[in-house]
């Protein structure tokens, strides 16, 4: 799956000069909408799970632009998975 780092991870080196100098609590990734299912499977295999509950099957893909996946452990981590840069206009 091809992904683009967004926000903090993408700007860390440019703004801070060293990616290690920028504290981060999550990783924002932009993927193609058609890769959402396989990306979820990959992240689930790595121990990540969605933080929210869908109203009904398919709601998240149709009416949202991102999903937060969480993995607990020694260091708790979150991946903010984006498949659109902004939420669909008809939902706003």
């Amino acid at each position: 799956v091809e992904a683009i780092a967004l926000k903090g991870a993408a700007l860390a080196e440019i703004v801070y000069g060293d990616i290690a100098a920028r504290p981060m609590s999550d990783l924002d990734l932009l993927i193609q909408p058609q890769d959402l299912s396989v990306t979820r499977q990959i992240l689930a295999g790595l121990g990540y799970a969605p933080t929210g509950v869908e109203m009904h099957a398919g709601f998240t893909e149709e009416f949202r632009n991102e999903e937060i996946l969480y993995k607990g452990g020694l260091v708790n981590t979150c991946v903010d998975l984006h498949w659109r840069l902004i939420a669909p206009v008809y939902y706003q």
Side-chain angles (χ1 to χ4, degrees):
V1 174
E2 292 183 4
I4 297 172
L6 299 174
K7 301 181 185 180
L11 298 172
E13 181 129 7
I14 295 167
V15 175
Y16 289 82
D18 180 358
I19 193 167
R22 169 70 162 78
M24 288 186 277
S25 61
D26 65 358
L27 177 62
D28 291 272
L29 297 175
L30 177 65
I31 61 166
Q32 293 287 333
Q34 64 268 20
D35 293 335
L36 183 56
S37 179
V38 70
T39 304
R40 282 178 172 152
Q41 290 174 357
I42 291 167
L43 290 170
L46 294 171
Y48 287 87
T51 59
V53 177
E54 276 193 301
M55 297 170 126
H56 62 81
F59 180 88
T60 300
E61 292 91 346
E62 186 72 24
F63 295 104
R64 309 258 337 260
N65 64 316
E66 70 175 300
E67 178 175 59
I68 300 170
L69 297 120
Y70 171 82
K71 179 180 180 179
L74 184 59
V75 176
N76 298 328
T77 57
C78 288
V79 172
D80 290 357
L81 192 57
H82 300 257
W83 54 92
R84 294 185 192 97
L85 288 175
I86 59 172
V89 175
Y90 58 84
Y91 184 62
Q92 296 177 12

